[in-house]
Amino acid sequence: MKVGIIGAGGWGTALAIQASLNNDVTLWVFSEEESETIIKNERENVLYLPNVKIPEKIKITTEIKDVCSSEILIFAIPSKYFRSIVQKFSNYIEKRHIIVSVTKGLEYPSEKRMSQILHEETRCRNIAVISGPSHAEEVARNTPTTIVVASNKNKVAEAVQKSISTEYLRLYRHNDIVGVELAGAFKNVVAIAAGMLRGFGLGDNTMAALITRGLAEIRRIGIKMGGKLETFAGLAGIGDLIVTCISKHSRNGRTGEMLAKGMKLDEILSSTKMVAEGVETARIIPLIECKYNIELPISNMIYEVLYQNLAPEVGLRSLMKRPLKHEYL
């Protein structure tokens, strides 16, 4: 199978490495400068995956036509730029293609999922998403990882599952594309809160409470927006939430840690080229709360810290001072 990976960030590069074990892989990079940097550094993505060798068999290109000669196209693009990049490819994507999003975010302010953008901007209807507990740093180094591929068409999910799965990366099929995408997007907001806990030196009790109550919020949002309850108990739900909250690799977690140290959002964003998707997704929280009339205290606190200058320590303390109530899951 020919697989094209669109986007040479950490996750795109890691998937290219795994996919190359079973397929002919082309990795599309945004600019010649980016391409030359990777190749000149002895085929190493020094910014996103230092000390990981990119196999010689992976073709690196800036040409859209080259990558679109593949049968499966995987978009690994930050949500903020997802639609504009898909538009660049739209005239080259055919009905025969299988197109996949691995982006864990939503478009602001439309609240659109990435699969919806693929549906709107291309004529292809063989659409799937990949999500689950997976840090690029570990996937690229062959750490055993299990994730899900979701599609409304089982044959599409099956094709992606067979082509991308390796002895190190195991894909399960799923048919709840809505729930899988929403779980992947909103867990990043909770992960910022997890980073804040670490930044303040809080303990395991606090982290366990955050993960559990964070999952309740994610599930609340997901069901209201069309996801299935059982999805949030699986790899794309609790699995991804756990790994993102506890891992040292989490970009969202690092953002939370920097907030706890007193840095403002502008300072954090200017200090790194890596994208913390939870920052963008948090902008949608007030819209979701109002539209669906649901309580999202943790997510709303993160929104206020990021965009309304709420002090992180005040935000965390406010969660413990909320009115006592029954445990609503």
Side-chain angles (χ1 to χ4, degrees), residues 147-162:
I147 53 179
V148 297
V149 52
S151 177
N152 295 329
K153 296 181 177 181
N154 189 58
K155 287 185 178 180
V156 170
E158 200 170 66
V160 176
Q161 180 186 42
K162 287 181 177 178

Side-chain angles (χ1 to χ4, degrees), residues 166-179:
T166 70
E167 63 180 303
Y168 312 108
L169 182 63
R170 179 179 175 84
L171 273 67
Y172 286 89
R173 293 190 306 278
H174 211 297
N175 60 9
D176 181 17
I177 194 168
V178 176

Side-chain angles (χ1 to χ4, degrees), residues 20-318:
S20 70
L21 296 177
N22 299 327
N23 308 278
D24 293 328
V25 173
T26 301
L27 178 63
W28 182 85
V29 297
F30 186 75
S31 65
E32 288 290 349
E33 180 184 4
E34 191 178 9
S35 174
E36 289 177 10
T37 299
I38 291 174
I39 294 170
K40 285 180 179 178
N41 282 285
E42 298 182 348
R43 297 184 70 85
E44 180 186 344
N45 194 331
V46 291
L47 179 59
Y48 298 106
L49 283 177
N51 304 315
V52 174
K53 186 83 170 179
I54 300 174
E56 294 288 341
K57 65 184 291 189
I58 296 176
K59 181 179 180 181
I60 299 172
T61 184
T62 59
E63 295 296 323
I64 292 176
K65 283 184 179 179
D66 287 352
V67 74
C68 285
S69 65
S70 304
E71 296 146 294
I72 296 176
L73 300 177
I74 299 177
F75 285 85
I77 303 294
S79 60
K80 190 173 182 178
Y81 310 108
F82 196 89
R83 188 182 293 272
S84 62
I85 296 297
V86 172
Q87 288 171 342
K88 286 179 180 290
F89 280 78
S90 60
N91 289 335
Y92 299 88
I93 294 175
E94 303 172 9
K95 292 181 178 180
R96 67 176 178 86
H97 281 118
I98 291 174
I99 50 178
V100 185
S101 165
V102 297
T103 301
K104 297 176 180 179
L106 299 179
E107 183 181 53
Y108 177 82
S110 73
E111 305 169 25
K112 295 284 178 68
R113 294 174 283 105
M114 301 301 106
S115 67
Q116 290 176 299
I117 294 173
L118 290 173
H119 191 278
E120 290 175 356
E121 298 293 347
T122 75
R123 55 190 167 177
C124 181
R125 295 297 174 261
N126 300 318
I127 298 172
V129 301
I130 288 175
S131 194
S134 50
H135 286 300
E137 295 85 350
E138 295 186 2
V139 171
R141 292 178 171 85
N142 294 334
T143 301
T145 302
T146 58
I147 53 179
V148 297
V149 52
S151 177
N152 295 329
K153 296 181 177 181
N154 189 58
K155 287 185 178 180
V156 170
E158 200 170 66
V160 176
Q161 180 186 42
K162 287 181 177 178
S163 63
I164 305 301
S165 291
T166 70
E167 63 180 303
Y168 312 108
L169 182 63
R170 179 179 175 84
L171 273 67
Y172 286 89
R173 293 190 306 278
H174 211 297
N175 60 9
D176 181 17
I177 194 168
V178 176
V180 166
E181 284 187 281
L182 293 175
F186 287 105
K187 59 90 185 179
N188 286 326
V189 179
V190 179
I192 294 175
M196 286 166 48
L197 300 190
R198 284 194 296 275
F200 286 123
L202 298 176
D204 295 339
N205 292 356
T206 320
M207 185 65 75
L210 175 72
I211 291 172
T212 306
R213 297 310 303 165
L215 179 63
E217 291 190 17
I218 294 167
R219 187 166 48 218
R220 227 173 280 163
I221 298 168
I223 292 171
K224 284 284 188 179
M225 295 181 72
K228 298 177 182 177
L229 176 62
E230 58 268 25
T231 300
F232 303 97
L235 288 167
I238 186 62
D240 204 4
L241 179 62
I242 290 171
V243 79
T244 311
C245 285
I246 68 173
S247 176
K248 62 184 180 181
H249 297 306
S250 171
R251 300 173 187 179
N252 297 284
R254 285 198 291 273
T255 298
E257 289 179 34
M258 287 187 278
L259 288 168
K261 291 174 182 176
M263 293 180 68
K264 299 298 183 184
L265 181 58
D266 288 346
E267 295 177 85
I268 295 169
L269 295 179
S270 63
S271 69
T272 179
K273 288 187 177 181
M274 295 190 178
V275 176
E277 283 285 3
V279 172
E280 191 71 9
T281 302
R283 299 172 73 189
I284 296 173
I285 293 300
L287 304 178
I288 297 291
E289 276 193 313
C290 181
K291 183 175 180 179
Y292 296 100
N293 191 29
I294 50 178
E295 277 192 308
L296 305 170
I298 297 169
S299 302
N300 190 59
M301 181 270 291
I302 292 300
Y303 168 79
E304 291 181 356
V305 169
L306 291 172
Y307 297 108
Q308 295 187 338
N309 293 315
L310 176 68
E313 62 273 21
V314 174
L316 289 173
R317 199 176 304 123
S318 71

